[in-house]
Coordinates of all heavy atoms in Angstrom, one line a residue:
M176 N -8.9 -5.7 2.5 CA -9.1 -4.2 2.6 C -10.1 -3.9 3.6 O -11.2 -4.4 3.5 CB -9.5 -3.6 1.2 CG -8.4 -3.8 0.1 SD -8.7 -2.9 -1.4 CE -10.5 -3.0 -1.6
T177 N -9.8 -3.0 4.5 CA -10.8 -2.6 5.5 C -11.0 -1.1 5.3 O -10.1 -0.3 5.5 CB -10.2 -2.9 7.0 OG1 -9.9 -4.3 7.0 CG2 -11.3 -2.6 8.0
P178 N -12.2 -0.7 5.0 CA -12.5 0.7 4.7 C -12.3 1.6 5.9 O -12.6 1.3 7.0 CB -13.9 0.7 4.2 CG -14.5 -0.6 4.6 CD -13.4 -1.5 4.9
I179 N -11.9 2.9 5.5 CA -11.9 4.0 6.5 C -12.8 5.0 6.0 O -12.6 5.8 5.1 CB -10.4 4.5 6.6 CG1 -9.5 3.4 7.1 CG2 -10.4 5.7 7.5 CD1 -8.0 3.8 7.1
A180 N -14.0 5.1 6.7 CA -15.1 6.0 6.2 C -14.7 7.4 6.2 O -15.0 8.2 5.2 CB -16.3 5.8 7.1
S181 N -13.9 7.9 7.2 CA -13.5 9.3 7.2 C -12.6 9.7 6.1 O -12.3 10.9 5.9 CB -13.0 9.7 8.6 OG -11.9 8.9 8.9
G182 N -12.0 8.8 5.4 CA -11.1 9.1 4.3 C -11.7 8.8 3.0 O -11.0 8.7 2.0
T183 N -13.0 8.6 2.9 CA -13.7 8.1 1.7 C -14.7 9.2 1.3 O -15.6 9.5 2.1 CB -14.3 6.8 1.9 OG1 -13.3 5.8 2.2 CG2 -15.0 6.3 0.7
Y184 N -14.6 9.7 0.1 CA -15.5 10.8 -0.3 C -15.5 10.9 -1.8 O -14.7 10.3 -2.5 CB -15.1 12.2 0.3 CG -13.8 12.7 -0.3 CD1 -13.8 13.4 -1.4 CD2 -12.6 12.4 0.3 CE1 -12.6 13.9 -2.0 CE2 -11.4 12.8 -0.2 CZ -11.5 13.6 -1.4 OH -10.3 14.0 -1.9
V185 N -16.5 11.6 -2.3 CA -16.5 11.9 -3.8 C -17.0 13.4 -3.9 O -17.8 13.9 -3.1 CB -17.5 11.0 -4.5 CG1 -18.9 11.1 -4.0 CG2 -17.4 11.2 -6.0
N186 N -16.4 14.1 -4.8 CA -16.9 15.4 -5.2 C -16.9 15.5 -6.7 O -16.8 14.5 -7.4 CB -16.1 16.5 -4.5 CG -14.7 16.6 -5.0 OD1 -14.3 16.2 -6.1 ND2 -13.8 17.2 -4.2
A187 N -17.1 16.7 -7.2 CA -17.3 16.9 -8.7 C -16.0 16.4 -9.5 O -16.2 16.1 -10.7 CB -17.6 18.3 -9.0
T188 N -14.9 16.4 -8.9 CA -13.7 16.1 -9.7 C -12.8 15.0 -9.1 O -11.9 14.5 -9.8 CB -12.8 17.4 -9.8 OG1 -12.5 17.8 -8.4 CG2 -13.5 18.5 -10.5
H189 N -13.0 14.6 -7.9 CA -12.2 13.5 -7.3 C -13.1 12.5 -6.6 O -14.2 12.8 -6.1 CB -11.3 14.1 -6.2 CG -10.2 15.1 -6.8 ND1 -10.5 16.3 -7.4 CD2 -8.9 14.9 -6.7 CE1 -9.4 16.9 -7.7 NE2 -8.4 16.1 -7.3
Y190 N -12.5 11.3 -6.4 CA -13.0 10.4 -5.4 C -11.8 9.9 -4.6 O -10.7 9.8 -5.1 CB -13.9 9.3 -6.0 CG -13.2 8.2 -6.7 CD1 -12.6 7.2 -6.1 CD2 -13.1 8.3 -8.1 CE1 -11.9 6.2 -6.8 CE2 -12.4 7.3 -8.8 CZ -11.8 6.3 -8.2 OH -11.2 5.3 -8.9
S191 N -12.1 9.5 -3.4 CA -11.0 9.0 -2.5 C -11.6 7.8 -1.8 O -12.7 7.8 -1.2 CB -10.6 10.0 -1.5 OG -9.7 9.4 -0.6
Y192 N -10.9 6.6 -1.9 CA -11.3 5.4 -1.2 C -10.1 5.1 -0.3 O -9.1 4.7 -0.9 CB -11.7 4.3 -2.1 CG -12.0 3.0 -1.5 CD1 -12.8 3.0 -0.3 CD2 -11.5 1.8 -1.9 CE1 -13.1 1.8 0.3 CE2 -11.8 0.6 -1.3 CZ -12.6 0.6 -0.2 OH -12.9 -0.6 0.4
T193 N -10.2 5.3 1.0 CA -9.1 5.0 1.9 C -9.4 3.7 2.7 O -10.5 3.6 3.2 CB -9.0 6.2 2.9 OG1 -8.9 7.4 2.1 CG2 -7.8 6.1 3.7
F194 N -8.4 2.9 2.7 CA -8.6 1.6 3.3 C -7.3 1.1 3.9 O -6.2 1.5 3.5 CB -9.2 0.6 2.3 CG -8.4 0.4 1.1 CD1 -7.3 -0.5 1.0 CD2 -8.6 1.2 0.0 CE1 -6.6 -0.6 -0.1 CE2 -7.9 1.1 -1.2 CZ -6.8 0.2 -1.2
L195 N -7.4 0.2 4.9 CA -6.3 -0.4 5.5 C -6.1 -1.7 4.7 O -7.0 -2.5 4.6 CB -6.5 -0.8 7.0 CG -5.4 -1.6 7.6 CD1 -4.1 -0.7 7.7 CD2 -5.9 -2.0 9.0
C196 N -5.0 -1.9 4.1 CA -4.7 -3.1 3.3 C -3.7 -4.0 4.1 O -2.6 -3.6 4.3 CB -4.0 -2.6 2.0 SG -4.1 -3.9 0.7
K197 N -4.2 -5.1 4.6 CA -3.4 -6.0 5.4 C -3.0 -7.2 4.5 O -3.9 -7.7 3.8 CB -4.2 -6.5 6.6 CG -3.7 -6.0 7.9 CD -4.5 -6.6 9.0 CE -3.7 -6.4 10.3 NZ -4.4 -6.8 11.5
A198 N -1.8 -7.6 4.6 CA -1.3 -8.7 3.8 C -1.4 -8.5 2.3 O -1.6 -9.4 1.5 CB -2.0 -10.0 4.2
C199 N -1.3 -7.2 1.9 CA -1.4 -6.9 0.5 C -0.1 -7.0 -0.2 O 0.0 -7.2 -1.4 CB -1.9 -5.4 0.3 SG -3.5 -5.1 0.9
I200 N 1.0 -7.0 0.5 CA 2.3 -7.1 -0.1 C 2.8 -8.5 0.1 O 3.0 -9.0 1.3 CB 3.3 -6.1 0.5 CG1 2.8 -4.7 0.2 CG2 4.7 -6.3 -0.1 CD1 3.6 -3.6 0.9
L201 N 2.9 -9.3 -0.9 CA 3.3 -10.7 -0.8 C 4.8 -10.9 -1.1 O 5.3 -10.2 -2.0 CB 2.5 -11.5 -1.8 CG 0.9 -11.4 -1.7 CD1 0.2 -12.2 -2.7 CD2 0.5 -11.8 -0.3
A202 N 5.4 -11.8 -0.4 CA 6.8 -12.1 -0.6 C 7.1 -12.8 -1.9 O 8.3 -12.8 -2.3 CB 7.3 -12.9 0.6
D203 N 6.1 -13.3 -2.6 CA 6.4 -14.1 -3.8 C 6.6 -13.2 -5.0 O 6.8 -13.7 -6.1 CB 5.2 -15.1 -4.1 CG 3.9 -14.4 -4.4 OD1 3.9 -13.1 -4.5 OD2 2.9 -15.1 -4.6
G204 N 6.6 -11.9 -4.8 CA 6.9 -11.0 -6.0 C 5.7 -10.7 -6.9 O 5.9 -10.0 -7.9
T205 N 4.5 -11.1 -6.5 CA 3.4 -10.9 -7.4 C 2.7 -9.5 -7.1 O 1.8 -9.1 -7.8 CB 2.3 -11.9 -7.3 OG1 1.9 -12.0 -5.9 CG2 2.8 -13.3 -7.7
T206 N 3.2 -8.8 -6.1 CA 2.7 -7.5 -5.7 C 3.8 -6.5 -5.7 O 5.0 -6.9 -5.9 CB 2.0 -7.5 -4.4 OG1 3.0 -7.8 -3.4 CG2 0.9 -8.5 -4.3
F207 N 3.5 -5.2 -5.5 CA 4.6 -4.2 -5.3 C 5.3 -4.5 -4.0 O 4.9 -5.2 -3.2 CB 4.0 -2.8 -5.4 CG 3.0 -2.5 -4.4 CD1 3.3 -2.1 -3.1 CD2 1.6 -2.6 -4.7 CE1 2.4 -1.8 -2.2 CE2 0.6 -2.3 -3.8 CZ 1.0 -1.9 -2.5
K208 N 6.5 -3.8 -3.9 CA 7.3 -3.9 -2.7 C 7.0 -2.7 -1.9 O 6.7 -1.6 -2.4 CB 8.8 -4.0 -3.1 CG 9.2 -5.1 -3.9 CD 10.7 -5.0 -4.2 CE 11.1 -6.1 -5.2 NZ 10.6 -5.8 -6.6
A209 N 7.2 -2.8 -0.6 CA 7.0 -1.6 0.3 C 7.9 -0.5 0.0 O 7.6 0.7 0.2 CB 7.2 -2.1 1.8
S210 N 9.0 -0.8 -0.6 CA 10.0 0.2 -1.0 C 9.8 0.9 -2.4 O 10.4 1.8 -2.7 CB 11.4 -0.4 -1.0 OG 11.5 -1.5 -1.9
D211 N 8.8 0.3 -3.1 CA 8.5 0.9 -4.5 C 7.9 2.3 -4.3 O 7.2 2.6 -3.4 CB 7.5 0.1 -5.2 CG 8.1 -1.2 -5.7 OD1 9.3 -1.4 -5.7 OD2 7.3 -2.1 -6.2
A212 N 8.3 3.2 -5.3 CA 7.8 4.6 -5.3 C 6.4 4.6 -6.0 O 5.6 5.4 -5.6 CB 8.8 5.5 -6.0
T213 N 6.3 3.8 -7.0 CA 5.0 3.8 -7.8 C 4.7 2.3 -8.2 O 5.5 1.4 -8.1 CB 5.1 4.6 -9.1 OG1 6.1 4.0 -9.9 CG2 5.4 6.1 -8.8
D214 N 3.5 2.1 -8.6 CA 3.1 0.8 -9.2 C 1.9 1.1 -10.1 O 1.2 2.1 -10.0 CB 2.7 -0.2 -8.1 CG 2.6 -1.6 -8.7 OD1 3.4 -1.9 -9.6 OD2 1.8 -2.4 -8.2
T215 N 1.7 0.2 -11.1 CA 0.6 0.4 -12.0 C -0.5 -0.5 -11.6 O -0.4 -1.7 -11.4 CB 1.1 0.0 -13.4 OG1 2.2 0.8 -13.8 CG2 0.0 0.2 -14.4
L216 N -1.7 0.1 -11.4 CA -2.9 -0.6 -11.0 C -3.9 -0.5 -12.2 O -3.9 0.4 -12.9 CB -3.5 0.0 -9.8 CG -2.5 0.0 -8.5 CD1 -3.2 0.7 -7.4 CD2 -2.1 -1.4 -8.2
G217 N -4.8 -1.5 -12.2 CA -5.8 -1.5 -13.3 C -7.2 -1.4 -12.7 O -7.4 -1.6 -11.5
F218 N -8.2 -1.0 -13.5 CA -9.6 -0.9 -13.1 C -10.5 -1.2 -14.3 O -10.1 -1.2 -15.4 CB -9.9 0.6 -12.6 CG -9.8 1.6 -13.7 CD1 -10.9 1.9 -14.4 CD2 -8.6 2.2 -14.0 CE1 -10.9 2.8 -15.5 CE2 -8.5 3.2 -15.0 CZ -9.7 3.5 -15.8
A219 N -11.7 -1.5 -13.9 CA -12.8 -1.7 -14.9 C -14.1 -1.3 -14.3 O -14.3 -1.5 -13.1 CB -12.8 -3.2 -15.4
F220 N -15.0 -0.8 -15.1 CA -16.3 -0.5 -14.5 C -17.4 -0.6 -15.6 O -17.1 -0.6 -16.8 CB -16.3 0.9 -13.9 CG -16.1 2.1 -14.9 CD1 -17.2 2.6 -15.6 CD2 -14.8 2.6 -15.0 CE1 -16.9 3.7 -16.5 CE2 -14.6 3.6 -15.9 CZ -15.7 4.2 -16.6
S221 N -18.6 -0.7 -15.1 CA -19.7 -0.8 -16.0 C -20.9 0.1 -15.4 O -21.0 0.3 -14.2 CB -20.2 -2.3 -16.0 OG -21.4 -2.4 -16.7
T222 N -21.7 0.5 -16.3 CA -22.9 1.2 -15.8 C -24.1 0.3 -15.5 O -25.1 0.7 -15.0 CB -23.4 2.2 -16.9 OG1 -23.6 1.5 -18.1 CG2 -22.4 3.3 -17.1
A223 N -23.9 -1.0 -15.8 CA -24.9 -2.0 -15.5 C -24.6 -2.7 -14.2 O -23.5 -3.1 -14.0 CB -25.1 -3.0 -16.7
A224 N -25.6 -2.8 -13.3 CA -25.4 -3.4 -12.0 C -25.2 -5.0 -12.2 O -25.7 -5.5 -13.2 CB -26.5 -3.1 -11.1
P225 N -24.6 -5.6 -11.2 CA -24.5 -7.1 -11.2 C -26.0 -7.6 -11.2 O -26.9 -6.9 -10.7 CB -23.8 -7.4 -10.0 CG -23.0 -6.2 -9.6 CD -23.8 -5.0 -10.1
A226 N -26.2 -8.8 -11.6 CA -27.5 -9.4 -11.6 C -28.2 -9.4 -10.2 O -29.3 -9.0 -10.1 CB -27.4 -10.9 -12.1
T227 N -27.4 -9.7 -9.2 CA -27.9 -9.7 -7.8 C -26.9 -9.0 -6.9 O -26.0 -9.6 -6.4 CB -28.1 -11.2 -7.3 OG1 -28.8 -11.9 -8.3 CG2 -28.9 -11.2 -6.0
P228 N -27.0 -7.6 -6.8 CA -25.9 -6.9 -6.1 C -25.6 -7.3 -4.7 O -24.5 -7.2 -4.3 CB -26.5 -5.4 -6.2 CG -27.4 -5.4 -7.4 CD -28.0 -6.8 -7.4
A229 N -26.6 -7.8 -4.0 CA -26.4 -8.2 -2.6 C -25.6 -9.5 -2.5 O -25.1 -9.9 -1.4 CB -27.7 -8.3 -1.9
N230 N -25.4 -10.2 -3.6 CA -24.7 -11.5 -3.6 C -23.4 -11.4 -4.2 O -23.2 -11.1 -5.4 CB -25.6 -12.5 -4.4 CG -24.9 -13.9 -4.4 OD1 -23.8 -14.1 -3.9 ND2 -25.6 -14.8 -5.0
H231 N -22.3 -11.5 -3.3 CA -20.9 -11.3 -3.9 C -20.6 -12.3 -5.0 O -19.6 -12.1 -5.7 CB -19.9 -11.4 -2.7 CG -19.7 -12.8 -2.2 ND1 -20.5 -13.3 -1.2 CD2 -18.7 -13.7 -2.5 CE1 -20.0 -14.5 -0.9 NE2 -19.0 -14.8 -1.7
A232 N -21.4 -13.4 -5.1 CA -21.1 -14.4 -6.2 C -21.9 -14.1 -7.4 O -21.9 -14.9 -8.4 CB -21.4 -15.8 -5.6
S233 N -22.7 -13.0 -7.4 CA -23.5 -12.6 -8.6 C -22.7 -12.5 -9.8 O -21.5 -12.0 -9.8 CB -24.2 -11.3 -8.3 OG -25.0 -10.9 -9.4
A234 N -23.3 -12.8 -11.0 CA -22.6 -12.6 -12.2 C -22.5 -11.1 -12.5 O -23.3 -10.3 -12.2 CB -23.5 -13.3 -13.3
L235 N -21.3 -10.8 -13.1 CA -21.0 -9.4 -13.5 C -21.3 -9.3 -15.0 O -21.0 -10.2 -15.8 CB -19.6 -9.1 -13.2 CG -19.1 -9.1 -11.7 CD1 -17.6 -8.9 -11.6 CD2 -19.9 -8.1 -10.9
V236 N -21.7 -8.1 -15.4 CA -21.8 -7.9 -16.9 C -20.4 -7.5 -17.3 O -19.5 -7.0 -16.5 CB -22.8 -6.8 -17.2 CG1 -24.2 -7.2 -16.8 CG2 -22.4 -5.5 -16.5
H237 N -20.1 -7.6 -18.6 CA -18.8 -7.2 -19.1 C -18.6 -5.7 -18.9 O -19.6 -4.9 -19.1 CB -18.8 -7.5 -20.6 CG -17.4 -7.3 -21.2 ND1 -17.0 -6.1 -21.7 CD2 -16.3 -8.2 -21.3 CE1 -15.7 -6.3 -22.1 NE2 -15.3 -7.5 -21.9
H238 N -17.4 -5.3 -18.6 CA -17.2 -3.9 -18.2 C -17.4 -3.0 -19.5 O -17.1 -3.4 -20.6 CB -15.8 -3.7 -17.6 CG -14.7 -4.3 -18.4 ND1 -14.2 -5.6 -18.1 CD2 -14.0 -3.8 -19.4 CE1 -13.2 -5.8 -19.0 NE2 -13.0 -4.8 -19.7
A239 N -17.7 -1.8 -19.2 CA -17.9 -0.8 -20.3 C -16.6 -0.1 -20.6 O -16.4 0.5 -21.7 CB -19.0 0.2 -19.9
S240 N -15.8 0.0 -19.6 CA -14.5 0.7 -19.7 C -13.5 0.1 -18.8 O -13.8 -0.5 -17.8 CB -14.7 2.2 -19.4 OG -13.5 2.9 -19.7
D241 N -12.2 0.3 -19.2 CA -11.1 -0.2 -18.3 C -9.9 0.6 -18.6 O -9.9 1.4 -19.5 CB -10.9 -1.7 -18.6 CG -10.4 -1.9 -20.0 OD1 -9.2 -1.7 -20.3 OD2 -11.3 -2.3 -20.9
G242 N -8.9 0.5 -17.8 CA -7.7 1.2 -18.0 C -6.7 0.9 -16.8 O -6.9 -0.1 -16.1
H243 N -5.7 1.6 -16.8 CA -4.7 1.5 -15.7 C -4.1 2.9 -15.4 O -4.3 3.8 -16.1 CB -3.6 0.5 -16.1 CG -2.8 1.0 -17.3 ND1 -3.2 0.7 -18.6 CD2 -1.7 1.7 -17.4 CE1 -2.3 1.2 -19.4 NE2 -1.4 1.9 -18.7
F244 N -3.6 2.9 -14.2 CA -3.0 4.2 -13.7 C -1.8 3.9 -12.9 O -1.6 2.8 -12.4 CB -4.0 5.0 -13.0 CG -4.6 4.3 -11.7 CD1 -4.0 4.6 -10.5 CD2 -5.6 3.4 -11.8 CE1 -4.5 4.0 -9.3 CE2 -6.0 2.7 -10.6 CZ -5.5 3.1 -9.4
T245 N -1.0 4.9 -12.7 CA 0.2 4.7 -11.8 C -0.1 5.3 -10.5 O -0.5 6.4 -10.3 CB 1.4 5.5 -12.4 OG1 1.7 5.0 -13.7 CG2 2.6 5.4 -11.6
A246 N 0.0 4.4 -9.5 CA -0.3 4.8 -8.1 C 1.0 5.3 -7.5 O 2.1 4.7 -7.6 CB -0.8 3.6 -7.3
N247 N 0.9 6.4 -6.8 CA 2.1 7.0 -6.0 C 2.1 6.4 -4.7 O 1.6 6.8 -3.7 CB 1.9 8.5 -5.9 CG 3.0 9.2 -5.2 OD1 3.9 8.5 -4.6 ND2 3.0 10.5 -5.1
I248 N 2.8 5.2 -4.6 CA 2.9 4.5 -3.4 C 3.7 5.2 -2.3 O 3.3 5.3 -1.1 CB 3.5 3.1 -3.6 CG1 2.6 2.3 -4.5 CG2 3.8 2.3 -2.3 CD1 3.2 1.0 -5.1
A249 N 4.8 5.9 -2.7 CA 5.6 6.6 -1.8 C 4.8 7.7 -1.1 O 4.8 8.0 0.0 CB 6.8 7.2 -2.5
G250 N 3.9 8.4 -2.0 CA 3.1 9.5 -1.5 C 1.9 9.0 -0.6 O 1.3 9.8 0.2
A251 N 1.6 7.7 -0.6 CA 0.5 7.2 0.2 C 1.0 6.8 1.6 O 0.2 6.5 2.5 CB -0.1 5.9 -0.5
K252 N 2.3 6.8 1.8 CA 2.8 6.4 3.1 C 2.5 7.6 4.1 O 2.5 8.7 3.7 CB 4.3 6.2 3.1 CG 4.6 4.9 2.3 CD 6.1 4.7 2.2 CE 6.4 3.4 1.4 NZ 7.8 3.2 1.2
S253 N 2.3 7.2 5.4 CA 1.9 8.2 6.4 C 2.6 7.9 7.7 O 2.7 6.8 8.1 CB 0.4 8.3 6.6 OG 0.1 9.1 7.7
A254 N 3.2 8.9 8.3 CA 3.8 8.8 9.6 C 2.7 8.5 10.6 O 3.0 8.1 11.8 CB 4.6 10.1 10.0
K255 N 1.4 8.8 10.2 CA 0.3 8.6 11.2 C -0.4 7.2 10.9 O -1.6 7.1 11.0 CB -0.7 9.7 11.0 CG -0.1 11.1 11.4 CD -1.1 12.2 11.2 CE -0.5 13.5 11.6 NZ -1.4 14.6 11.2
Y256 N 0.4 6.2 10.4 CA -0.2 4.9 10.1 C -1.0 4.4 11.2 O -2.1 3.9 11.0 CB 1.0 4.0 9.7 CG 0.4 2.6 9.5 CD1 -0.1 2.2 8.2 CD2 0.4 1.6 10.5 CE1 -0.6 1.0 8.0 CE2 -0.2 0.4 10.3 CZ -0.7 0.0 9.0 OH -1.2 -1.2 8.8
D257 N -0.5 4.4 12.4 CA -1.3 3.7 13.5 C -2.6 4.4 13.8 O -3.6 3.8 14.0 CB -0.4 3.8 14.8 CG 0.8 2.8 14.7 OD1 0.7 1.9 13.9 OD2 1.7 3.0 15.5
A258 N -2.6 5.8 13.6 CA -3.9 6.5 13.8 C -4.9 6.2 12.7 O -6.1 6.0 13.0 CB -3.6 8.0 13.8
W259 N -4.4 6.1 11.5 CA -5.3 5.7 10.3 C -5.8 4.3 10.5 O -7.0 4.0 10.3 CB -4.6 5.9 9.0 CG -4.5 7.3 8.5 CD1 -3.5 8.2 8.5 CD2 -5.6 8.0 7.9 NE1 -3.8 9.4 8.0 CE2 -5.1 9.3 7.6 CE3 -6.9 7.7 7.6 CZ2 -6.0 10.3 7.0 CZ3 -7.8 8.7 7.1 CH2 -7.3 9.9 6.8
A260 N -4.9 3.4 10.8 CA -5.2 2.0 11.0 C -6.3 1.8 12.0 O -7.2 0.9 11.9 CB -4.0 1.1 11.3
A261 N -6.3 2.6 13.1 CA -7.3 2.5 14.1 C -8.7 2.9 13.7 O -9.7 2.5 14.3 CB -6.9 3.4 15.3
L262 N -8.8 3.7 12.5 CA -10.0 4.1 12.0 C -10.7 3.0 11.1 O -11.8 3.2 10.7 CB -9.9 5.4 11.2 CG -9.4 6.6 12.0 CD1 -9.1 7.8 11.1 CD2 -10.4 7.0 13.0
A263 N -9.9 2.0 10.7 CA -10.4 1.0 9.8 C -11.3 0.0 10.6 O -10.8 -0.6 11.6 CB -9.2 0.2 9.2
V264 N -12.5 -0.1 10.2 CA -13.5 -0.9 11.0 C -13.9 -2.1 10.1 O -14.6 -1.8 9.1 CB -14.7 -0.1 11.4 CG1 -15.7 -0.9 12.2 CG2 -14.3 1.1 12.2
P265 N -13.5 -3.3 10.4 CA -13.9 -4.5 9.6 C -15.5 -4.5 9.5 O -16.2 -4.3 10.5 CB -13.4 -5.7 10.4 CG -12.3 -5.1 11.2 CD -12.7 -3.7 11.6
G266 N -16.0 -4.8 8.3 CA -17.4 -4.9 8.0 C -18.1 -3.6 7.9 O -19.3 -3.6 7.7
Q267 N -17.4 -2.5 8.1 CA -18.1 -1.2 8.0 C -18.5 -0.9 6.6 O -17.8 -1.0 5.7 CB -17.0 -0.1 8.5 CG -17.5 1.3 8.4 CD -16.4 2.3 8.8 OE1 -15.2 2.1 8.4 NE2 -16.7 3.2 9.6
A268 N -19.8 -0.4 6.5 CA -20.3 0.0 5.2 C -19.8 1.4 4.9 O -19.8 2.3 5.7 CB -21.8 0.0 5.2
V269 N -19.2 1.6 3.7 CA -18.7 2.9 3.3 C -19.5 3.4 2.1 O -19.8 2.7 1.2 CB -17.2 2.8 2.9 CG1 -16.8 4.1 2.4 CG2 -16.4 2.4 4.1
T270 N -20.0 4.6 2.3 CA -20.8 5.2 1.2 C -20.0 6.5 0.7 O -19.6 7.3 1.5 CB -22.2 5.7 1.7 OG1 -22.8 4.6 2.3 CG2 -23.0 6.3 0.6
F271 N -19.9 6.6 -0.6 CA -19.3 7.7 -1.2 C -20.3 8.9 -1.1 O -21.4 8.8 -1.6 CB -18.9 7.5 -2.7 CG -17.6 6.6 -2.8 CD1 -17.8 5.2 -2.8 CD2 -16.4 7.2 -2.8 CE1 -16.6 4.4 -2.9 CE2 -15.2 6.4 -2.8 CZ -15.4 5.0 -2.9
R272 N -19.9 10.0 -0.5 CA -20.8 11.1 -0.3 C -20.0 12.4 -0.8 O -18.8 12.5 -0.6 CB -21.1 11.3 1.1 CG -22.0 10.2 1.6 CD -22.7 10.7 2.9 NE -23.6 9.6 3.4 CZ -23.3 8.7 4.3 NH1 -22.1 8.7 4.8 NH2 -24.2 7.8 4.6
A273 N -20.8 13.3 -1.3 CA -20.2 14.5 -1.8 C -19.9 15.4 -0.5 O -20.5 15.2 0.5 CB -21.1 15.3 -2.7
Ligands
LIG600 C1 -12.3 17.6 -4.6 O1 -11.5 17.2 -3.5 C2 -10.1 17.4 -3.8 C3 -9.3 16.8 -2.7 O2 -9.6 17.4 -1.5 C4 -9.8 18.8 -4.1 O3 -8.5 19.0 -4.4 C5 -10.7 19.3 -5.2 O4 -10.5 20.7 -5.4 C6 -12.2 19.0 -4.9 N1 -13.0 19.4 -6.1 C7 -14.1 20.2 -5.9 C8 -14.8 20.5 -7.2 O5 -14.5 20.6 -4.9

C-alpha cells in the first residue's frame, strides 16, 4: 500500500485513507477479484500504543475492539486511476488531519 496524502483526512464523522494497492489481488483466490462489486474486510484497534511505536516489529497489545465491514469495491474504481496512482509516493508519511 502506497499512501496518497491528498486523499487522506479525518473529520468529526468520517475518515478516509486513500492508497495505491499494488499486487493486492492475487490469482490464488485468497483475495477479492477485480470484478467483485463488494468484499468483506476486517479491522481491529486498541487505545493502547504498541510497546515501541517506531519499531514495526514491536509487540502489540490485544485489541480493544474489532469488526468487519463491506467495502464497495465497484464504487472505489476510478476512471482517473493513472492520475491517482501518480499521487502515491512510496515512503510518504501520511497524517490524518481534520
Ligand atoms: C466529513 O467528510 C465527509 C466526506 O467528505 C462528508 O460527507 C461529511 O459531511 C463530513 N463531516 C463533517 C462533520 O464535516
Side-chain angles (χ1 to χ4, degrees):
M176 295 191 322
T177 306
I179 298 173
S181 57
T183 300
Y184 68 88
V185 62
N186 67 21
T188 56
H189 293 65
Y190 71 84
S191 173
Y192 176 45
T193 306
F194 54 89
L195 176 66
C196 197
K197 248 186 166 173
C199 293
I200 300 174
L201 305 177
D203 67 4
T205 57
T206 62
F207 58 85
K208 299 178 188 71
S210 59
D211 286 350
T213 62
D214 195 30
T215 302
L216 303 177
F218 67 90
F220 64 87
S221 174
T222 54
T227 313
N230 179 355
H231 73 277
S233 178
L235 299 173
V236 295
H237 189 270
H238 53 266
S240 187
D241 63 80
H243 61 273
F244 62 98
T245 300
N247 178 354
I248 296 169
K252 292 180 181 173
S253 173
K255 297 178 180 172
Y256 175 84
D257 290 339
W259 278 104
L262 298 173
V264 180
Q267 177 183 42
V269 173
T270 304
F271 285 90
R272 291 197 178 94

